[in-house]
Amino acid sequence: MFIYVVVSFAVSGVGSIMLTVGIFTKFACLVCWIHVTSLAKRTSGVQQAGDTLLRIILFWFIWLPCQDYYSLDARMQISSSRVTTQVSSMASLAFMVQICLLYQLPAAFKVNALWSRPTKESAIYYVLANVAFCRKHFFTDWLVRHPEVPRILTLVTPWLEHAAPMFIFGNKIPGLLIFGVVSLIGFHL
């Protein structure tokens, strides 16, 4: 039994490295997805939403042409199916809808007074002050000491989450994609 676990994790580790550098990308995606899915079935008691999102993203990556962009496969031209810089398929649409839902569903629960009319202790303040949700860090300590900043972040968060589909699907509007990427990266910091 122990040797099976060691071999399984070794194969998964090699697959993860292959996926990271982009060599035999489709096969590496499949290996990583199988490993993450089987691990989720065996450890369901310690799973959280991020694990489920990882499984879903890996599943969609199996069907997307990841090997054609920013990978060693593309540099070595193992796969020559790349014709354009734009990918339009059911898998790409499903992936984009999945990411939109990642922001839209939590935003739907933030339509209440705690998020729309924050008092001194706003929703973001409560999250930052709770050590179960947030690690102690000099930046979080600073935010807790200056409650006006979490109050502003509390007002901005639902708007940014509601605007995420516009950032994801609005690539025809000049500058919107860059603004969306910078905003969403900043949102997660």
Side-chain angles (χ1 to χ4, degrees):
M1 182 67 170
F2 176 73
I3 194 71
Y4 169 76
V5 173
V6 170
V7 169
S8 173
F9 274 94
V11 168
S12 175
V14 170
S16 298
I17 292 169
M18 290 170 56
L19 183 60
T20 301
V21 297
I23 188 83
F24 303 111
T25 310
K26 289 276 188 199
F27 176 72
C29 265
L30 182 65
V31 167
C32 289
W33 178 74
I34 289 170
H35 177 75
V36 169
T37 303
S38 68
L39 196 62
K41 300 298 181 195
R42 288 178 175 85
T43 59
S44 61
V46 295
Q47 294 291 306
Q48 50 118 341
D51 300 318
T52 303
L53 182 64
L54 175 63
R55 285 194 313 273
I56 291 169
I57 288 174
L58 283 171
F59 176 78
W60 289 121
F61 276 10
I62 293 170
W63 308 109
L64 290 171
C66 299
Q67 73 278 2
D68 292 341
Y69 303 92
Y70 306 108
S71 68
L72 289 178
D73 286 347
R75 302 244 331 153
M76 297 184 314
Q77 297 181 352
I78 290 172
S79 172
S80 60
S81 64
R82 183 163 99 176
V83 184
T84 179
T85 59
Q86 200 167 23
V87 177
S88 298
S89 67
M90 288 303 288
S92 63
L93 176 66
F95 180 72
M96 291 168 64
V97 167
Q98 186 73 47
I99 300 301
C100 286
L101 289 174
L102 171 70
Y103 291 103
Q104 287 293 290
L105 293 176
F109 288 102
K110 292 180 179 137
V111 184
N112 59 45
L114 188 62
W115 289 91
S116 61
R117 292 183 301 281
T119 58
K120 183 178 183 247
E121 283 99 14
S122 61
I124 299 288
Y125 175 86
Y126 286 129
V127 170
L128 293 173
N130 188 341
V131 294
F133 292 121
C134 190
R135 292 182 298 206
K136 285 295 182 187
H137 191 267
F138 74 92
F139 188 61
T140 56
D141 290 340
W142 181 83
L143 285 171
V144 169
R145 286 194 310 271
H146 298 88
E148 62 278 355
V149 178
R151 192 175 315 124
I152 293 168
L153 292 174
T154 298
L155 290 169
V156 170
T157 297
W159 289 102
L160 189 59
E161 288 177 336
H162 282 296
M166 183 177 62
F167 297 146
I168 292 169
F169 286 105
N171 60 347
K172 301 289 187 209
I173 301 170
L176 185 64
L177 183 62
I178 298 297
F179 177 76
V181 167
V182 169
S183 299
L184 292 174
I185 288 173
F187 175 72
H188 289 283
L189 292 178

